[in-house]
Amino acid sequence: ILTILGNSAVLATAVRRSSLLKPPELLTVNLAVADIGMALSMYPLAIASAWNHAWLGGDTSCVYYALMGFLFGVCSMMTLCAMAVIRFLVTNTSKSNSTKVTKSTVCILIAFIWLYSLLWAILPLVGWGYYGPEPFGISCTIAWSKFHNSSNGFSFILSMFLLCTVLPALTIIACYLGIAWKVHKAYQEIQNIDRIPNAAKLEKKLTLMAVLISVGFLSSWTPYAATSFWSIFNSSDSLQPVVTLLPCLFAKSSTAYNPFIYYVFSKTFRCEVRKLQCCCAWRVPYFSSDNSMENPVSTMWSG
């Protein structure tokens, strides 16, 4: 619920401000699309299976669930990587060259991210790698246990780990370390805090917001990655079901964090959310009957 409501607010804000969106903000919109896509395509099936205490459906639904998770997961990771690279380029580029990151460039980059994610997601369907159930039995993912069982599974998991996890994560870390060093040197040159330009303060705020988004995503998925790699080198039966379940739930919760980060750091997003609240409060009594003001539902919604 938090994922759908929060990211829907992000998308609604983007639609209302479509003509004012800056190129890097399109990546934020893409991240919201990936998060809400994961919530709508996966969570209902996982919740129903949890209530059922067993996976609902057969192999087809298992493959569907794993494919959606892999697609949106890789898309989110690559979007965060692109955000870090663009923030690094903007921070380390002079104003005269800052126009190089255009909307068309970012749109092409977003298209590449989706194609790259889709390619990796469909590879197990065409014979390289496997999808399978999680050890606790109520969701599906990449078949990590195939790492030792076949050369096919070994090559896929190793390649996926390097190109979809390690390389993007190292890129994100390197970019933000570079930005932090650049900001540190710039602030050292300005001894008086009152003389720091507003543009520099805004740049620092945007960078901190991007860092928190990346840290939230990586920290959410790290426990899941740890348990997955444990199952590579050890039998999944050696872990209690709750030990494998909790990291999976924690990883999925990463889709709900970003709107809260935007709300804290972005004054524009806070204003747009308040406008959306006002619109919703106005529309309910407007579309009601003549005595709608006496309707407790309308009054509650307006309140």
Side-chain angles (χ1 to χ4, degrees):
I1 291 172
L2 290 175
T3 298
I4 293 174
L5 290 179
N7 288 286
S8 294
V10 174
L11 295 179
T13 300
V15 171
R16 288 170 61 93
R17 299 183 62 252
S18 57
S19 60
L20 302 175
L21 286 179
K22 297 177 182 178
E25 290 178 322
L26 295 176
L27 290 171
T28 303
V29 175
N30 191 57
L31 192 60
V33 170
D35 287 344
I36 202 170
M38 182 177 286
L40 292 175
S41 64
M42 299 172 59
Y43 295 174
L45 187 56
I47 293 169
S49 297
W51 282 104
N52 188 52
H53 300 282
W55 179 251
L56 289 176
D59 294 339
T60 302
S61 62
C62 184
V63 170
Y64 160 79
Y65 183 93
L67 186 145
M68 290 293 105
F70 197 23
L71 170 65
F72 292 119
V74 174
C75 181
S76 297
M77 186 66 171
M78 300 308 297
T79 301
L80 291 172
C81 182
M83 288 172 65
V85 172
I86 288 180
R87 287 242 58 84
F88 179 80
L89 293 176
V90 170
T91 305
N92 290 273
T93 305
S94 61
K95 289 185 178 180
S96 59
N97 296 326
S98 60
T99 55
K100 286 186 177 180
V101 182
T102 62
K103 280 191 175 182
S104 59
T105 302
V106 175
C107 289
I108 294 173
L109 181 59
I110 290 173
F112 172 78
I113 288 171
W114 280 103
L115 289 174
Y116 184 82
S117 305
L118 183 61
L119 173 64
W120 279 102
I122 64 176
L123 283 176
L125 301 181
V126 296
W128 192 33
Y130 307 93
Y131 288 132
E134 299 270 17
F136 48 85
I138 57 172
S139 69
C140 298
T141 185
I142 298 167
W144 300 101
S145 59
K146 298 290 186 179
F147 185 81
H148 287 300
N149 295 348
S150 69
S151 58
N152 189 331
F154 171 82
S155 60
F156 174 76
I157 291 174
L158 184 62
S159 302
M160 180 274 300
F161 175 65
L162 292 175
L163 298 177
C164 298
T165 306
V166 174
L167 187 59
L170 290 178
T171 302
I172 291 171
I173 294 170
C175 286
Y176 287 130
L177 285 177
I179 293 171
W181 177 253
K182 177 77 174 180
V183 171
H184 172 70
K185 296 296 288 185
Y187 273 59
Q188 271 190 333
E189 295 174 0
I190 306 174
Q191 299 298 327
N192 188 352
I193 192 69
D194 296 329
R195 294 175 55 195
I196 297 176
N198 289 331
K201 293 179 181 178
L202 177 61
E203 198 65 35
K204 183 180 179 181
K205 195 173 184 180
L206 292 174
T207 300
L208 179 59
M209 183 176 71
V211 168
L212 288 176
I213 292 170
S214 299
V215 168
F217 183 86
L218 293 176
S219 60
S220 298
W221 282 92
T222 297
Y224 179 76
T227 55
S228 298
F229 277 94
W230 173 270
S231 65
I232 286 177
F233 300 105
N234 302 274
S235 172
S236 58
D237 297 333
S238 61
L239 294 175
Q240 294 294 327
V242 68
V243 177
T244 57
L245 174 61
L246 291 179
C248 182
L249 296 178
F250 189 53
K252 299 299 191 295
S253 70
S254 64
T255 57
Y257 301 155
N258 296 338
F260 293 100
I261 297 175
Y262 303 147
Y263 192 85
V264 171
F265 284 90
S266 176
K267 183 178 179 181
T268 302
F269 183 62
R270 286 198 299 271
C271 294
E272 290 295 335
V273 169
R274 291 184 186 119
K275 290 178 182 178
L276 289 173
Q277 290 174 338
C278 292
C279 289
C280 292
W282 177 79
R283 285 175 182 172
V284 170
Y286 180 82
F287 286 109
S288 302
S289 58
D290 294 337
N291 57 352
S292 61
M293 293 307 295
E294 300 175 1
N295 188 343
V297 176
S298 300
T299 306
M300 180 182 68
W301 183 264
S302 302

